[in-house]
């Protein structure tokens, strides 16, 4: 790998680079924090990332999406009286004025402003973080409501097309590249038993029952920065998968990660369940921000989307386990299988709690309709 120090020198950072450290817990890109000292001014930090081009095959299209969306969001934040320095990602160009740098090994590097005085959480804690995360992604949906979705590139085709993900999974079982298929028969059967639910959202989209919107598609709790003092949302990050999609993909994916009582890779499955209070917190925050623009069908499918997106993610982890761990970063043997098992435990729990989840959605959707909760978070 090209030394990160050499790459950092090529970017138009303000000041002298003093330190560079690996940063964050993402499963895809390599992220670094670059510390710079400036004369007569406080030090400044930047985020420098090496994009995983095995995952994102067309990085120039990806960067075009990120540039266009961040510029659009900046205008929208300004129009609402927000602070664009903190509430938007800003691409820091190279000294030659390019948005990214392709190294001699073909890797694409790009840099952003560091969102200061803010934290990206790995778990929902008391629930307040998760409420604010719901506000953040709801606001993201609302601010991008009029963005022309057809102008965005599909950075990963069929990213949340669950039936296509299922085909890829069956191919991985048949090819069995890692030789692990025999050991995971129970998990394979778990997926096959849920075949009928996989096409529900894509079929509704095809029938015109759900609108195509601009969506984030990777709405993990750690992809939103919350203020480190008051906890309120500051900025949505990790915009690599912003594409046309369903609002339900964003809602469901947030719940699968943030409403779990345990980490995504917890080994003790007795600790894993879907916390209904956390589910309620997120639902409340999300609907406060964008509930009034969602259709009745979108609202009706919110609880279902949590089950579907959790199943889909577990299926993706199992596919990668079968393929020999080529997609998600792993930090121990069997890591993807551990992640898959937590997802399936969550799916089972959500199936049991389906009616209560529906009831929670109805409660907060009703509040939106009665005008109690429109855009209360400043
Ligand atoms: P990945 O696609 O690998 O998840 P992310 O873009 O989410 O990469 O970055 C990984 C982590 O780095 C985030 O979860 C967050 O903690 C941190 N991070 C990313 N961008 C910024 C930023 N602009 N300011 C502060 N922290 C950031
Ligand atoms: C990846 O990049 P990160 O860690 O935020 C993945 C998501 C998965 C998630 C599971 C581009 O997200 O789709 O839901 O891991 N991102 C991509 O934790 O595949
Ligand atoms: Mg991320």
């Amino acid at each position: 790998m090209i030394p990160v120090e050499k790459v950092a020198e090529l970017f138009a950072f303000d000041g002298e680079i003093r330190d560079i450290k690996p940063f964050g817990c993402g499963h895809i890109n390599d992220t670094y924090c670059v510390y710079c000292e400036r004369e007569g001014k406080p030090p400044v930090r930047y985020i420098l990332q090496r994009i995983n081009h095995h995952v994102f095959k067309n990085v120039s299209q990806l960067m075009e999406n990120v540039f266009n969306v961040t510029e659009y969001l900046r205008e929208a934040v300004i129009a609402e009286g927000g602070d664009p320095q903190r509430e938007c990602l800003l691409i820091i160009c190279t000294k030659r004025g390019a948005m990214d740098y392709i190294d001699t090994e073909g890797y694409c590097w790009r840099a952003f402003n560091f969102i200061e005085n803010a934290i990206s959480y790995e778990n929902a804690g008391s629930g307040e973080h998760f409420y604010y995360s719901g506000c953040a992604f709801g606001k993201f949906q609302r601010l991008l409501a009029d963005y022309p979705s057809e102008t965005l590139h599909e950075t990963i085709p069929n990213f949340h097309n669950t039936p296509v993900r299922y085909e890829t999974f069956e191919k991985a079982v048949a090819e069995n590249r890692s030789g692990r298929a025999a050991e995971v028969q129970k998990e394979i059967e778990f997926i096959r038993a849920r075949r009928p639910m996989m096409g529900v959202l894509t079929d509704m989209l095809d029938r015109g029952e759900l609108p195509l919107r601009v969506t984030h598609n990777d709405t993990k709790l750690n992809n939103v920065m919350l203020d480190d003092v008051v906890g309120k949302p500051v900025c949505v990050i990790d915009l690599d998968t912003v594409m046309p999609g369903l609002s339900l993909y964003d809602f469901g994916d947030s719940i699968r990660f943030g409403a779990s009582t345990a980490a995504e890779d917890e080994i003790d499955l007795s600790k894993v369940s879907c916390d209904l209070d956390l589910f309620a917190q997120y639902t409340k925050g999300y609907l406060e921000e964008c509930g009034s623009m969602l259709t009745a069908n979108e609202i009706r499918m919110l609880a279902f989307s949590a089950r579907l997106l959790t199943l889909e993610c577990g299926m993706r982890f199992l596919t990668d386990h079968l393929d020999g761990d080529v997609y998600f970063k792993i930090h121990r043997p069997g890591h993807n299988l551990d992640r898959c098992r937590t997802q399936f435990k969550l799916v089972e729990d959500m199936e049991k709690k389906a009616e209560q989840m529906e009831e929670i959605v109805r409660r907060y959707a009703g509040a939106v309709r009665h005008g109690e909760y429109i855009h209360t978070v400043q």
Side-chain angles (χ1 to χ4, degrees):
M1 179 177 147
I2 315 287
V4 60
E5 292 76 14
K6 276 201 172 342
V7 177
E9 288 296 341
L10 303 174
F11 282 81
F13 297 139
D14 190 13
E16 289 291 311
I17 298 172
R18 283 286 168 252
D19 200 6
I20 303 178
K21 287 206 167 75
F23 202 78
C25 302
H27 292 345
I28 304 294
N29 295 322
D30 293 326
T31 303
Y32 300 88
C33 180
V34 180
Y35 298 75
C36 294
E37 270 173 15
R38 302 180 294 179
E39 255 193 55
K41 285 198 270 181
V44 60
R45 297 193 277 182
Y46 297 95
I47 286 288
L48 178 63
Q49 286 182 317
R50 190 177 80 149
I51 301 175
N52 184 331
H53 62 233
H54 303 293
V55 166
F56 296 103
K57 312 272 188 228
N58 190 330
V59 286
S60 61
Q61 288 190 350
L62 178 153
M63 288 307 290
E64 198 179 309
N65 276 3
V66 173
F67 176 76
N68 287 333
V69 168
T70 50
E71 289 306 299
Y72 186 94
L73 284 173
R74 194 175 332 284
E75 293 303 316
V77 164
I78 292 169
E80 291 203 347
D83 173 0
Q85 306 274 9
R86 282 191 91 209
E87 294 173 38
C88 291
L89 285 180
L90 176 69
I91 296 174
I92 308 292
C93 290
T94 66
K95 288 174 180 165
R96 292 180 164 190
M99 278 199 293
D100 51 21
Y101 165 71
I102 309 291
D103 72 20
T104 49
E105 293 172 7
Y107 280 96
C108 174
W109 294 78
R110 49 101 193 272
F112 292 113
N113 58 327
F114 193 100
I115 309 296
E116 292 291 354
N117 307 314
I119 299 177
S120 70
Y121 290 94
E122 294 300 324
N123 65 66
S126 67
E128 196 181 55
H129 303 329
F130 204 40
Y131 163 73
Y132 283 130
S133 165
C135 297
F137 285 116
K139 182 172 173 185
F140 185 85
Q141 184 70 93
R142 182 169 58 74
L143 293 184
L144 289 171
D146 294 327
Y147 190 100
S149 66
E150 67 286 356
T151 62
L152 284 170
H153 303 289
E154 221 182 328
T155 50
I156 303 181
N158 293 311
F159 191 60
H160 282 307
N161 186 325
T162 318
V164 171
R165 291 283 184 190
Y166 175 71
E167 282 170 26
T168 309
F169 155 76
E170 285 291 5
K171 203 163 147 265
V173 176
E175 287 177 1
N176 194 12
R177 278 191 256 165
S178 63
R180 295 166 175 162
E183 301 151 23
V184 294
Q185 281 307 308
K186 213 173 104 198
E187 286 75 18
I188 293 174
E189 288 316 316
F190 186 93
I191 293 172
R192 288 182 177 155
R194 285 158 183 79
R195 180 74 191 88
M197 71 189 272
M198 291 187 195
V200 168
L201 296 186
T202 42
D203 287 351
M204 287 180 79
L205 174 67
D206 291 346
R207 291 195 299 265
E209 293 167 9
L210 291 171
L212 203 57
R213 299 185 183 277
V214 174
T215 48
H216 183 283
N217 297 303
D218 188 2
T219 51
K220 261 158 95 164
L221 183 60
N222 65 12
N223 285 333
V224 58
M225 309 292 302
L226 303 180
D227 189 282
D228 59 3
V229 178
V230 292
K232 288 186 178 181
V234 178
C235 184
V236 169
I237 60 169
D238 202 349
L239 304 178
D240 298 337
T241 49
V242 174
M243 287 181 274
L246 298 180
S247 59
L248 294 160
Y249 299 156
D250 281 1
F251 182 87
D253 196 43
S254 276
I255 300 303
R256 80 153 190 92
F257 186 87
S260 175
T261 50
E264 187 178 68
D265 59 357
E266 174 60 54
I267 293 168
D268 180 355
L269 293 180
S270 70
K271 293 185 181 160
V272 183
S273 64
C274 174
D275 185 314
L276 290 178
D277 290 332
L278 290 175
F279 177 73
Q281 293 277 348
Y282 189 93
T283 305
K284 178 174 183 288
Y286 182 77
L287 291 177
E288 277 175 19
E289 280 291 340
C290 74
S292 54
M293 59 169 266
L294 297 181
T295 66
N297 274 342
E298 288 178 295
I299 290 178
R300 190 166 60 81
M301 300 311 286
L302 286 174
F304 172 81
S305 76
R307 288 204 298 286
L308 184 67
L309 272 285
T310 309
L311 176 69
E312 181 192 274
C313 193
M315 184 163 71
R316 291 176 60 199
F317 286 140
L318 188 60
T319 303
D320 200 28
H321 181 72
L322 290 165
D323 283 345
D325 307 308
V326 292
Y327 186 95
F328 297 103
K329 282 185 193 171
I330 58 161
H331 306 290
R332 60 180 187 244
H335 208 166
N336 274 315
L337 182 57
D338 295 339
R339 290 170 177 152
C340 155
R341 287 180 172 150
T342 61
Q343 302 308 289
F344 292 172
K345 178 74 196 297
L346 276 174
V347 170
E348 270 177 344
D349 196 44
M350 289 178 188
E351 286 170 351
K352 287 185 202 129
K353 293 172 177 165
E355 191 38 53
Q356 289 149 285
M357 291 168 77
E358 304 284 358
E359 181 50 40
I360 290 168
V361 170
R362 280 194 292 272
R363 188 193 320 150
Y364 290 112
V368 168
R369 272 197 294 278
H370 291 107
E372 289 169 41
Y373 289 129
I374 308 235
H375 315 156
T376 50
V377 177
Q378 297 304 316

